[in-house]
Amino acid sequence: MRNGLRRSARILAPVILLCLLILHGVSSGAVLTPPSPPGLSGTIPLPAITLGVGQVDSPRDVALTLQILALMTVLSLVPAILLMVTSFTRIIIVIGFVQRAIGLQQSPPQQVIAGLSLFLTMFTMYPTWSQVYEKGLSPYLSGQINASQAWENSINPVRDFMFRYTRQEELSLIISMAGAERPANQAAVPTRILIPAFMLSEMKTAFQMGVVIYIPFLVVDMVVSSVLLAMGMMMLPPMMISLPFKLLLFVMADGWNLVVMSVLKSFTNVP
């Protein structure tokens, strides 16, 4: 017993002594610096990051800084813009309905669904983005038009796309909720009113397509539940039996091709 205590004391004594030296140095205000590596004298300088406002040489530098800040702001709003003014909302909702109708919770993963929806959005929005580039971005980069003209030429194709798939009921609802006067034509509708009306229309269309997708799988669930009830197997979960049948039905009917084809055909401007 005594030998064990002596060994513990020998091991802990240097550690306790080192801690006391560190505490003494901190309390006395001394700074313990590690020894310099061989071949280096003094301390190694550490980098520092500072943020501040300085002077510029010309007003052009100020304009360039403001353009960089505006670009960073636009990049931070890219996910919201993708959801608001493109076909992404309808596509991802319809594919999500397919996943829930079959009864699969983690297959396919959400990353796969989001990636497929993104690339289908790029496919459906290609004609609109081509017009944005040809009429707005390309002339602006070549110096043929100014920024305001580039904005007008770029937003008009996007507005035409949104007007094509915006329902009159949702547009009237947003106009009445905003307290604005009834516009005489499409050009008089503000973009801040058109965007929420377009999103509501897209969600309504997606839910209508989702109901149609749900019907065959709901029939399979009802048939399986009725058969199990008739056989007296009430303790067996119907989902355990109906899930393989729904997967078999979806694969035999080439379900993914049908769903993607239906979603793409719902957009009339698809190339």
Side-chain angles (χ1 to χ4, degrees):
M1 183 69 179
R2 292 180 179 178
N3 294 332
L5 293 176
R6 290 177 181 176
R7 291 177 181 176
S8 302
R10 290 177 182 177
I11 296 174
L12 294 176
V15 178
I16 296 174
L17 180 60
L18 181 61
C19 293
L20 291 176
L21 291 175
I22 294 174
L23 291 175
H24 176 70
V26 172
S27 61
S28 61
V31 179
L32 299 177
T33 58
S36 301
L40 295 178
S41 61
T43 60
I44 299 176
L46 298 177
I49 300 175
T50 59
L51 297 176
V53 179
Q55 295 182 352
V56 295
D57 299 331
S58 63
R60 184 180 181 85
D61 296 336
V62 179
L64 180 60
T65 304
L66 294 178
Q67 290 178 0
I68 294 175
L69 291 176
L71 178 61
M72 294 176 63
T73 304
V74 171
L75 290 178
S76 65
L77 295 176
V78 164
I81 296 173
L82 180 65
L83 290 175
M84 288 187 297
V85 300
T86 65
S87 58
F88 184 82
T89 302
R90 182 191 304 187
I91 294 173
I92 196 170
I93 290 177
V94 171
I95 297 179
F97 265 108
V98 174
Q99 184 185 30
R100 290 169 178 81
I102 297 176
L104 300 174
Q105 300 299 326
Q106 301 296 331
S107 182
Q110 295 299 322
Q111 293 85 354
V112 175
I113 293 178
L116 178 61
S117 303
L118 179 61
F119 281 100
L120 290 178
T121 301
M122 295 173 62
F123 180 77
T124 56
M125 295 297 298
Y126 177 78
T128 302
W129 289 344
S130 298
Q131 295 180 12
V132 170
Y133 178 79
E134 294 173 359
K135 297 181 180 179
L137 185 59
S138 180
Y140 175 72
L141 294 178
S142 61
Q144 299 177 3
I145 57 177
N146 55 24
S148 60
Q149 293 175 347
W151 168 254
E152 291 294 331
N153 296 341
S154 300
I155 197 63
N156 287 332
V158 179
R159 284 173 56 90
D160 293 339
F161 173 82
M162 290 190 290
F163 271 118
R164 190 179 300 113
Y165 302 105
T166 301
R167 300 173 184 268
Q168 187 65 33
E169 296 82 4
E170 280 71 23
L171 186 59
S172 301
L173 173 64
I174 300 300
I175 291 176
S176 62
M177 294 301 295
E181 298 181 357
R182 185 178 181 85
N185 48 30
Q186 293 184 356
V189 178
T191 305
R192 64 180 181 87
I193 292 178
L194 177 60
I195 291 177
F198 170 74
M199 291 190 67
L200 288 176
S201 301
E202 287 294 286
M203 288 191 294
K204 185 175 181 179
T205 303
F207 271 74
Q208 290 176 352
M209 298 178 67
V211 170
V212 178
I213 292 173
Y214 249 102
I215 291 177
F217 300 105
L218 182 60
V219 172
V220 174
D221 288 333
M222 293 175 63
V223 170
V224 171
S225 300
S226 301
V227 172
L228 293 178
L229 184 61
M231 297 176 62
M233 307 173 74
M234 293 177 293
M235 301 301 294
L236 184 64
M239 181 61 66
M240 185 181 299
I241 306 299
S242 63
L243 180 58
F245 285 100
K246 290 191 290 187
L247 287 174
L248 183 61
L249 174 64
F250 190 74
V251 172
M252 292 182 62
D254 203 2
W256 284 118
N257 285 347
L258 292 177
V259 171
V260 171
M261 183 176 61
S262 300
V263 173
L264 294 181
K265 283 189 175 181
S266 63
F267 298 99
T268 57
N269 64 333
V270 175

